Amino acid sequence: MVSGSDALSEYARWVLEPPLPERLVKPRMSCVICATPRSGSWLLSGLLHSTGVAGHPHEYFYSETEAANRRNWGISTAREYLDRVLEAGTTDNGVFACKVMWGTLPDFLRQVKSRAASDIHGDRSLIEGLLPRPRFIFVWRADAVAQAVSWAKAGQTGYFHHWDSANRVPRFDFEQIDGLAREVTNSNAGWRSWFDAHQIDPLEVRFEDLVEDQEAQTLRVLRFLEVELPPGVEIATLTVKVRDAVDQEWLSRYRMGP
C-alpha cells in the first residue's frame, strides 16, 4: 500500500472536479458500487481509482455532483451528461465505475430510464441498457452504530472527507445517532431486497475487512471484475481516516443509553 500528500491532493482535486479524458474509451463493462453513507465506499473508490484499471468511481448520479459536473463540463441536457459520465468514469481498459447510495438509487434509475428504449422494463434491464456488463459491489458496515456515529459527526461538521472543510463543532445527539443507526440498518436491508428482487449477486465488501486489509480487498474486487493489476502499479490509499476520539466517545455514550 502506498499513499502521500501529493496523491491525496490530486485525488481531492479529481473528486471535486472530475475532468473529461483527452482519449475517449468506450466502456466494455461496468462496476456499480452500492453503499450507504460512511460505509467505506469512498475508501474503496479511491483504492480502485488508484489501480487505473477499475474505472473511476464517483457519485455521478447524486444531484449536487451532477450540478457541479454540468457546470464544469459546460453541458445542459441529460443525454449529454450521461455520455460525459461514461467518458469520465472509464479507464483506458474499458472499465466504467460509479457509486450509488441507497437514498439516491431512485434518481439513478430515473436517469438511466431516460436513456432506455420504451420497451425496456425492470431495474436491472434498464441499468444494462446504459452500463455494459454491470457488476455490483455491495459495501456495508457490520457495526451500524459506529457508522451512525460517523455519519452524525460528519453531517454536523460538514467534514465527510479530507477534501471537505469543517464548519462547526459537533455535539453528541443520542436521538440523531439512534435514527441514523436505524436508517443504516433499513438501507442495507433495502439493498439486499433489491438485489434479490432483480437476481443480482453482488460481491460484498465489509467495511471492517476493508479497513483491516485494503490491498487484499482491492485485489478481491479486481478478481471479481476479471481485471489484473498492471505490473509495477501499487494500490494507493487516496482518502484520509476521519475517525478520532470524538467517535469513540460518542459510541460509548450511545451504548450507555439515553
Side-chain angles (χ1 to χ4, degrees), residues 17-245:
E17 294 187 12
L20 294 174
E22 295 181 2
R23 175 175 176 265
L24 301 184
V25 178
K26 184 176 181 180
R28 60 178 177 81
M29 69 171 299
S30 308
C31 170
V32 182
I33 299 174
C34 306
T36 56
R38 315 310 293 161
S39 62
S41 61
W42 270 116
L43 171 59
L44 179 60
S45 294
L47 292 164
L48 294 177
H49 178 95
S50 77
T51 70
V53 293
H56 299 301
H58 204 308
E59 293 180 4
Y60 297 107
F61 306 102
Y62 175 49
S63 59
E64 292 185 11
T65 301
E66 178 180 352
N69 286 343
R70 281 176 179 250
R71 289 193 300 270
N72 294 332
W73 297 342
I75 59 175
S76 58
T77 69
R79 176 173 289 275
E80 188 178 9
Y81 180 70
L82 292 177
D83 287 342
R84 300 295 84 77
V85 162
L86 291 176
E87 294 169 3
T90 302
T91 41
D92 287 344
N93 62 335
V95 177
F96 169 81
C98 64
K99 184 157 72 79
V100 180
M101 299 289 109
W102 174 250
T104 60
L105 178 61
D107 293 333
F108 171 54
L109 294 172
R110 190 159 44 246
Q111 292 185 66
V112 168
K113 189 174 183 178
S114 71
R115 280 285 298 271
S118 59
D119 60 342
I120 296 180
H121 303 285
D123 292 357
R124 181 169 180 174
S125 296
L126 288 171
I127 293 171
E128 290 174 343
L130 175 67
L131 305 182
R133 297 173 56 209
R135 299 190 180 186
F136 298 82
I137 314 292
F138 179 37
V139 185
W140 65 285
R141 193 164 176 169
D143 192 337
V145 174
Q147 183 174 348
V149 164
S150 178
W151 192 354
K153 188 183 75 171
Q156 288 187 32
T157 63
Y159 188 65
F160 283 82
H161 310 286
H162 71 275
W163 49 81
D164 298 320
S165 299
N167 52 34
R168 57 176 289 195
V169 177
R171 64 177 183 84
F172 177 77
D173 185 332
F174 182 92
E175 295 301 327
Q176 181 187 27
I177 295 170
D178 195 54
L180 290 174
R182 288 195 300 271
E183 184 170 346
V184 166
T185 300
N186 292 337
S187 296
N188 284 337
W191 271 126
R192 294 185 187 280
S193 295
W194 185 78
F195 294 139
D196 289 343
H198 299 285
Q199 298 181 317
I200 294 171
D201 186 19
L203 176 71
E204 296 198 14
V205 176
R206 196 178 70 155
F207 170 83
E208 290 80 1
D209 297 329
L210 180 61
V211 170
E212 181 179 354
D213 195 335
Q214 297 176 30
E215 182 171 359
Q217 292 300 314
T218 303
L219 291 173
R220 182 168 164 259
V221 172
L222 294 183
R223 287 194 296 271
F224 179 71
L225 299 176
E226 297 183 326
V227 297
E228 295 185 2
L229 186 69
V233 172
E234 294 186 69
I235 298 170
T237 304
L238 299 180
T239 55
V240 176
K241 183 177 69 173
V242 298
R243 285 175 292 163
D244 56 23

